[in-house]
């Protein structure tokens, strides 16, 4: 997004969509580590070194299970579901806040039979996410609550 051309006002056009903001469904094939999720970049401000995105998954969708050096600040904006941060699984709902520190496994799942949408603030400059190895998954699933969350128990 070229900040010189960013309009000052971008009204919402329909539920959880905004004028001039591209709606980007993630492509998925059989091996995709996510399901039924889309992304919209609401703000990208180099001066702030910040980007604010809106992610939304359909009922039963989920984000990628990943970790990375950069942190996330998240606010649930739509619906409810569940969320893994580190070894903690929590139910989340509209307006809940979630802080995801560096190098912490995290995933969102629309487990409540409805879409789950959240705002996610990140640094413009960020490292690529790491996906779990089989060993990582086995360690995560050693925790029964995490195993249930991941659908592996
Ligand atoms: Mn992440």
């Amino acid at each position: 997004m070229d900040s010189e051309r960013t309009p000052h006002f971008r009204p919402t056009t329909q539920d959880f969509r905004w004028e001039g903001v591209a709606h980007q469904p993630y492509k998925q094939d059989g091996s995709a580590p996510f399901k039924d999720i889309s992304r919209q970049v609401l703000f990208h401000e180099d001066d702030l070194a910040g980007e604010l995105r809106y992610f939304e998954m359909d009922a039963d969708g989920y984000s990628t299970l990943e970790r990375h050096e950069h942190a996330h600040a998240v606010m649930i904006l739509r619906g409810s579901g569940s969320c893994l941060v580190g070894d903690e699984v929590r139910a989340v709902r509209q307006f809940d806040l979630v802080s995801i520190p560096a190098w912490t496994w995290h995933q969102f799942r629309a487990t409540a039979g409805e879409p789950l949408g959240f705002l996610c603030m990140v640094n413009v400059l960020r490292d690529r996410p790491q996906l779990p190895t089989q060993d990582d998954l086995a360690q995560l699933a050693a925790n029964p609550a995490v195993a249930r969350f991941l659908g592996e128990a």
Side-chain angles (χ1 to χ4, degrees):
M1 222 179 294
D2 180 346
S3 60
E4 290 180 342
R5 289 184 308 156
T6 300
H8 293 160
F9 298 97
R10 277 181 289 185
T12 183
T13 53
Q14 53 177 292
D15 286 356
F16 306 98
R17 301 284 184 93
W18 294 268
E19 192 173 284
V21 174
H23 180 259
Q24 304 170 280
Y26 276 40
K27 290 193 198 77
Q28 61 193 59
D29 57 29
S31 62
F34 48 82
K35 180 171 180 279
D36 296 336
I37 185 166
S38 64
R39 176 177 68 164
Q40 296 173 79
V41 178
L42 306 180
F43 296 94
H44 176 112
E45 298 291 346
D46 289 330
D47 289 349
L48 292 170
E51 196 171 275
L52 184 66
R53 300 90 54 83
Y54 176 70
F55 292 90
E56 188 176 289
M57 58 210 80
D58 300 338
D60 298 324
Y62 48 83
S63 65
T64 303
L65 173 61
E66 61 179 29
R67 67 178 178 183
H68 35 67
E69 184 172 22
H70 64 274
H72 292 308
V74 167
M75 175 187 270
I76 307 299
L77 199 62
R78 179 178 198 171
S80 59
S82 53
C83 174
L84 168 72
V85 180
D87 59 1
E88 203 175 353
V89 175
R90 295 283 291 266
V92 291
R93 63 189 176 99
Q94 190 179 36
F95 306 135
D96 283 351
L97 299 173
V98 182
S99 293
I100 299 164
W103 295 119
T104 306
W105 294 114
H106 56 281
Q107 187 177 47
F108 291 85
R109 286 180 173 258
T111 52
E114 62 178 345
L116 175 66
F118 59 88
L119 296 169
C120 178
M121 185 167 67
V122 285
N123 202 292
V124 166
L125 303 172
R126 55 186 182 273
D127 58 319
R128 288 185 69 81
Q130 282 183 2
L131 302 181
T133 63
Q134 286 305 315
D135 281 355
D136 293 327
L137 284 174
Q139 272 186 32
L140 283 161
N143 178 326
V146 177
R148 277 194 299 278
F149 174 86
L150 297 174
E152 293 175 8

